[in-house]
């Protein structure tokens, strides 16, 4: 599972966690129902935001149940049934997820990552990517959404990267991602019947795409340097202080853009606000290895922005120093890793296990239900998992009422 929006279960109220899981399961089951079991590996945290936005803007004339259905037992839910998202929002999220996942796969093929350096494996990966492209386009067409906008934007990425060098503005490199996410976010307003929301949502999507691209680059910086892989921050000579400024500005811009969006009701817009405002700012802090409390790093006593801690390596980067003992798993390529990931996913190890071996690099990972970054650096503030933020400051100047 990938994506920059990864809310900790301790930060979500019971109602918000149920809503979030409904959209996550709805996306996964829509991928399976429309495109087969294998397509479920395209499920991602960021894709479900499309489903959240459509539902948040839509009128509920038939009640809350008009956007839900009861799904059958699933191993990831302990073989329990659950209420999951359905309808056009989940289908649009599935379409966008497939197209962008196919683009990511082609990018790995072009880079010759792992086993994809071998021609037979690369050929198989290209076939899967092409199939996902067609499937995403088919679903998008059913909804009136032209996925060629996403494909064209992603295809321009390689050309832009080839021309980028020292001194190239970093935002020139992120432009294709911004264009693709802006189109997806904006179309949620069309599906929900709120055309007046399209412009602010396109702006929010553009900035979200910028953040996704930049945070991915920050988290991969050390690994890319070690592997000799291309990284936009290193290639353009941008320092981390400037990258952080761009990320903070983008997160603030998303917050401002959402204020212009008319949701069906305050309650309907609460999850979208939580994910795209509070969790987005936490994602920035997490990528740069600064404060675990999303807003502590942004406001000093004098009101000016300050960052607690240096721009150190992201927490996911491997340690240096003495050599590690042999890993329990071997390093795998994209397809082999996906196959192992699927097995771990279907046996609940990724979700429910306290610890498991990463299917790609063999490193120890924590199960999703055991991950929590909400209590990092909270000090003695008490109630670190209460309400929206650990010190009760996350909603200063925020209209969510701190009941999200």
């Amino acid at each position: 599972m990938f994506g920059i929006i990864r809310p900790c279960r301790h930060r979500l109220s019971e109602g918000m966690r149920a809503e979030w899981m409904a959209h996550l399961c709805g996306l996964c089951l829509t991928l399976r129902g429309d495109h087969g079991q294998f397509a479920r590996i395209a499920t991602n945290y960021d894709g479900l935001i499309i489903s959240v936005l459509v539902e948040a803007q839509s009128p509920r004339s038939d009640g809350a149940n008009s956007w839900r259905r009861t799904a059958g037992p699933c191993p990831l839910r302990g073989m329990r049934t659950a209420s999951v998202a359905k309808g056009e929002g989940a289908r649009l999220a599935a379409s966008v997820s497939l197209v962008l996942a196919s683009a990511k796969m082609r990018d790995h093929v072009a880079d010759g990552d792992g086993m994809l350096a071998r021609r037979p494996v690369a050929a198989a990966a290209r076939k899967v990517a092409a199939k996902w492209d067609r499937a995403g386009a088919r679903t998008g067409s059913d909804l009136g959404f032209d996925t060629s906008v996403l494909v064209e934007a992603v295809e321009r990425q390689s050309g832009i990267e080839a021309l980028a060098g020292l001194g190239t503005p970093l935002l020139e490199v992120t432009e294709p991602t911004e264009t693709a996410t802006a189109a997806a976010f904006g179309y949620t307003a069309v599906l929900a019947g709120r055309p007046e929301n399209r412009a602010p949502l396109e702006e929010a999507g553009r900035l979200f795409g910028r953040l996704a691209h930049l945070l991915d680059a920050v988290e991969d910086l050390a690994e890319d340097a070690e592997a000799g892989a291309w990284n936009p921050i290193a290639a353009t000579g941008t320092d981390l202080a400037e990258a952080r400024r761009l990320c903070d500005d983008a997160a603030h811009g998303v917050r401002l853009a959402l204020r212009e969006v008319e949701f069906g009701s305050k309650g309907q817009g609460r999850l979208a606000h939580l994910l795209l405002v509070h969790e987005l700012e936490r994602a920035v802090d997490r990528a740069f290895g600064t404060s675990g409390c999303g807003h502590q790093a942004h406001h000093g006593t004098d009101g000016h922005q300050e960052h607690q801690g240096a721009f150190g390596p992201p927490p996911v980067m491997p340690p240096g120093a003495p050599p590690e003992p042999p890993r329990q798993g071997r390093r795998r390529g994209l397809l082999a890793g996906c196959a192992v990931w699927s097995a771990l996913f279907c046996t609940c190890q990724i979700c429910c296990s306290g610890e498991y071996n990463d299917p790609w690099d063999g490193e120890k990972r924590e199960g999703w239900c055991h991950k929590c970054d909400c209590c990092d650096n909270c000090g003695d503030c008490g109630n670190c998992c209460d309400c929206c933020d650990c010190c009760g400051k996350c909603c200063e100047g925020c209209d969510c009422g701190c009941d999200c």
Side-chain angles (χ1 to χ4, degrees):
M1 192 83 66
F2 56 94
I4 63 173
I5 304 296
R6 303 192 291 270
C8 170
R9 64 192 177 101
H10 296 108
R11 283 196 299 263
L12 299 178
S13 67
E14 185 177 349
M16 286 295 97
R17 185 169 185 271
E19 287 289 305
W20 186 76
M21 286 299 300
H23 287 284
L24 183 63
C25 292
L27 171 57
C28 180
L29 293 174
T30 299
L31 285 167
R32 184 200 67 181
D34 291 354
H35 309 292
Q37 286 281 2
F38 188 68
R40 297 174 80 177
I41 66 173
T43 304
N44 64 94
Y45 293 127
D46 297 344
L48 69 85
I49 292 175
I50 301 297
S51 176
V52 171
L53 285 173
V54 173
E55 184 174 313
Q57 299 172 79
S58 301
R60 291 189 175 183
S61 55
D62 298 329
N65 291 333
S66 61
W67 289 92
R68 293 287 181 269
R69 69 178 180 88
T70 301
C74 174
L76 296 179
R77 295 190 298 267
M79 298 308 295
R80 293 185 297 247
T81 60
S83 176
V84 303
K86 67 174 183 177
E88 293 180 334
R91 297 193 69 205
L92 180 61
S95 174
V96 171
S97 295
L98 280 175
V99 173
L100 295 183
S102 72
K104 193 174 185 71
M105 185 175 291
R106 282 195 298 270
D107 185 54
H108 283 298
V109 171
D111 292 342
D113 293 337
M115 291 184 66
L116 293 174
R118 302 178 183 178
R119 290 183 179 179
V121 179
R126 289 191 191 97
K127 288 183 179 179
V128 172
K131 181 180 179 181
W132 283 357
D133 267 343
R134 293 192 298 270
R138 186 168 60 251
T139 299
S141 178
D142 292 342
L143 299 170
F145 179 61
D146 185 5
T147 58
S148 65
V149 177
L150 308 185
V151 175
E152 290 168 3
V154 173
E155 286 178 345
R156 284 190 289 108
Q157 187 71 52
S158 58
I160 291 175
E161 291 179 357
L163 296 174
L166 293 177
T168 300
L170 193 55
L171 298 188
E172 286 187 14
V173 181
T174 64
E175 182 274 325
T177 307
E178 295 178 24
T179 299
T181 51
F185 273 48
Y187 199 73
T188 64
V190 176
L191 280 186
R194 290 186 181 269
E196 70 276 10
N197 286 342
R198 187 164 192 169
L201 283 173
E202 285 179 346
E203 175 67 5
R206 182 179 67 82
L207 295 171
F208 182 88
R210 178 184 300 177
L211 270 169
H213 198 131
L214 291 177
L215 295 184
D216 182 64
V218 169
E219 291 181 342
D220 292 346
L221 190 58
E223 184 178 344
D224 287 343
E226 183 180 349
W230 193 90
N231 185 288
I233 293 177
T236 59
T238 306
D239 61 38
L240 283 175
E242 173 63 10
R244 176 67 192 243
R245 184 189 69 79
L246 292 172
C247 289
D248 287 338
D249 286 350
H252 184 64
V254 171
R255 175 189 284 263
L256 295 179
L258 281 187
R259 290 179 181 174
E260 305 299 319
V261 177
E262 291 291 333
F263 293 116
S265 67
K266 183 177 179 180
Q268 284 180 242
R270 190 171 292 138
L271 181 60
H273 178 93
L274 186 151
L275 296 177
L276 290 173
V277 174
H278 304 302
E279 292 300 331
L280 200 55
E281 292 174 346
R282 288 189 180 98
V284 175
D285 290 325
R286 182 170 58 241
F288 283 91
T290 52
S291 171
C293 298
H295 298 261
Q296 285 183 324
H298 299 298
H299 303 287
T301 56
D302 59 354
H304 291 88
Q305 182 176 333
E306 62 180 24
H307 302 296
Q308 298 178 9
F311 295 122
V316 296
M317 291 182 180
E324 302 178 42
R327 294 173 177 171
Q328 296 187 29
R330 61 186 180 85
R331 192 169 189 86
R332 300 180 177 89
L334 177 65
L335 293 182
C338 286
V340 175
W341 185 92
S342 299
L344 293 173
F345 186 86
C346 293
T347 56
C348 305
Q349 293 184 59
I350 288 181
C351 177
C352 304
S353 175
E355 193 177 69
Y356 67 93
N357 293 318
D358 187 279
W360 283 277
D361 59 22
E363 293 283 355
K364 291 289 186 183
R365 306 290 184 200
E366 286 183 296
W368 296 341
C369 293
H370 294 264
K371 287 186 177 182
C372 179
D373 62 4
C374 66
C375 299
D376 294 342
N377 303 317
C378 283
D380 300 321
C381 63
N383 285 335
C384 71
C385 293
D386 193 26
C387 193
C388 292
D389 206 313
C390 64
C391 293
K393 296 181 180 179
C394 79
C395 292
E396 290 180 357
C398 172
D399 57 4
C400 71
C402 207
D403 55 0
C404 52

